[in-house]
Amino acid sequence: MAQTTFQHTFPNGLTLLAERMEHVRSVAVNFLLPAGCSRDPVGREGLAGVLAEMITRGAGSRDSKDLMLAFDNLGVDRSESVGVHHMRFWGSTLGRNLPSALELFADVLRRPHLPEDELEPTVELSLQDLRSLEDEPASRLMVELRRKLYPTPLCNDHRGTVEGVQAVTVDDLRAYHQRTFRPGGTILSVAGSFEFDALRNQVERLFGDWSGEAEPMPPLGPEPSGHGHVTKEVEQTHLTVSYPSVKHGDPDYYQALAAVQVLSGGMGARLFMEIREKEGLCYSVSASFSPQKERGYVVGYAASRNERAQRTLDKMIEEFGRLRQGVSEDEVQRVRVGLKTSLIMQQESTSARAGSLASDWYNLGRVRSFDEIQSAIDGLTPASIAAHLERHPPGAYRIVTLGPAPLNGE
């Protein structure tokens, strides 16, 4: 069988990952640059977010309007986003338009205008995003949760702070771009319809003379401790309960994922059945597995009327602890089906596959194959999940709430 997944690292450190999907005519492009909000300077929190919004307002030989028209004429569906470690540029279009789309992305990444007259409206958009947190209690809660789980600057939020965003200047943006937009540590992943030799040659032409190593991560601050509460007069208390779990690449990765799916993998999962259906404590309740390269957590979330919030919190902790009593074969079978369905759907999406290629390379230093993931899912058993929970038992809970008053246990 012809090779369909390719990897090439150029001399300047840029890594190209590509997977050909024979059944599609589209292609997705995904750039990960080591320019995330963890590198925001002190006093300029939100700088990376402002840059992500500003960077497409003119690049290369095109002003802002011409650049947008060029993307639109190619039918490129695209977005820019900022995470803790990376700034992400994504685009999807027909395979035949890939060369032209890459030309535009090269201009955006390497030759942005960053015009001074666009700074004020860009900053205002960022400030609106920050203000919107006051109307989004779940999002506001997650910002506070990160501060209680991660040391600085890993706890940085991409929106930054009002003071930090207001302090941003064009010179700040240009300096940040110069020191973080470098090929060292940058990952370009492509999935869909393409010819690899032509793709590699074009990437070399567009980015081969780009130079610079990735900037080292800033030193970490002290580990946070204790619970957290945001006082806000709302009708529902929003709450999170988290505990340490495994990180990406850990041998227990799939067992940890499966344990969380037992809790929150659909309407038959334990949190839904025990907290919502049986006791009617809340409408929204879930748990998620949040593995990072450095560490991992399981995070439970619920929103409950204030008078029921304490009982909701107690029940969530009870269900976390009850995992150690074992899971059934029926539950594991449901988890296997759910994970395989998600895997198959991912394989049919060029965007999802391009994102997975880059994520695997960053977190694992390699790309997982479909067969490897499927084999790991097939290997899940009640015994293997129980063994994981013995090695990594739920506990040392970190509780963060948003509502009129803290709950017992905080």
Side-chain angles (χ1 to χ4, degrees), residues 9-15 182-185 207-213:
T9 299
F10 296 93
N12 61 6
L14 172 66
T15 295
R182 297 176 175 181
F207 297 99
D209 62 344
W210 199 15
S211 63
E213 296 294 325

Side-chain angles (χ1 to χ4, degrees), residues 77-143:
D77 183 17
R78 62 180 182 83
S79 67
E80 304 82 38
S81 60
V82 178
V84 172
H85 294 291
H86 296 103
M87 195 176 296
R88 178 176 183 255
F89 295 82
W90 167 84
S92 179
T93 186
L94 292 176
R96 65 172 180 264
N97 293 333
L98 175 61
S100 298
L102 284 175
E103 298 273 355
L104 296 179
F105 277 114
D107 277 343
V108 169
L109 300 184
R110 300 191 60 188
R111 293 172 286 275
H113 294 175
L114 303 177
E116 189 159 6
D117 61 352
E118 294 281 2
L119 178 61
E120 184 176 346
T122 304
V123 165
E124 182 55 36
L125 284 175
S126 296
L127 292 174
Q128 289 178 27
D129 195 21
L130 270 167
R131 296 183 189 113
S132 72
L133 282 176
E134 294 304 311
D135 300 320
E136 299 172 5
S139 298
R140 175 70 181 85
L141 179 63
M142 293 305 167
V143 172

Side-chain angles (χ1 to χ4, degrees), residues 177-393:
H177 175 267
Q178 184 176 13
R179 69 182 175 85
T180 61
F181 276 55
R182 297 176 175 181
T186 293
I187 301 168
L188 165 58
S189 56
V190 180
S193 176
F194 63 89
E195 291 298 328
F196 181 70
D197 288 344
L199 171 64
R200 181 186 58 204
N201 291 340
Q202 185 187 18
V203 171
E204 184 170 23
R205 177 175 61 82
L206 293 175
F207 297 99
D209 62 344
W210 199 15
S211 63
E213 296 294 325
E215 184 182 54
M217 269 290 295
L220 299 184
E223 289 290 331
S225 62
H227 305 304
H229 177 72
V230 179
T231 301
K232 190 173 181 64
E233 291 300 324
V234 288
E235 293 184 357
Q236 284 192 321
T237 294
H238 296 255
L239 60 94
T240 61
V241 183
S242 60
Y243 66 86
S245 187
V246 301
K247 61 184 179 180
H248 272 294
D250 190 280
D252 275 14
Y253 173 87
Y254 289 98
Q255 286 72 28
L257 178 61
V260 173
Q261 290 294 302
V262 169
L263 286 171
S264 188
M267 295 175 63
R270 292 185 182 185
L271 292 180
F272 185 92
M273 294 301 297
E274 297 297 326
I275 296 178
R276 173 178 155 151
E277 293 297 288
K278 290 185 179 180
E279 297 213 17
L281 291 170
C282 59
Y283 180 81
S284 175
V285 60
S286 62
S288 59
F289 178 39
S290 180
Q292 307 292 331
K293 189 173 185 177
E294 304 89 357
R295 62 185 79 190
Y297 291 96
V298 171
V299 177
Y301 165 81
S304 178
R305 292 189 64 84
N306 297 329
E307 64 272 16
R308 298 177 179 177
Q310 185 65 57
R311 176 61 178 164
T312 302
L313 171 62
D314 294 342
K315 279 294 293 181
M316 183 175 287
I317 293 175
E318 179 184 324
E319 289 303 320
F320 281 178
R322 194 164 68 87
L323 278 174
R324 293 191 68 185
Q325 299 175 18
V327 300
S328 69
E329 178 57 42
D330 286 347
E331 287 177 314
V332 176
Q333 177 59 25
R334 175 179 59 79
V335 167
R336 290 193 203 103
V337 170
L339 291 176
K340 284 185 178 179
T341 299
S342 176
L343 176 63
I344 291 169
M345 291 177 66
Q346 183 187 92
Q347 293 298 314
E348 295 178 352
S349 165
T350 57
S351 297
R353 191 59 194 146
S356 292
L357 293 173
S359 176
D360 277 0
W361 190 264
Y362 173 70
N363 288 299
L364 304 174
R366 63 184 184 87
V367 173
R368 294 175 296 172
S369 69
F370 180 91
D371 289 343
E372 176 188 346
I373 299 173
Q374 181 167 262
S375 176
I377 294 171
D378 286 336
L380 293 169
T381 65
S384 70
I385 296 171
H388 155 71
L389 292 166
E390 284 299 312
R391 289 187 290 268
H392 304 278

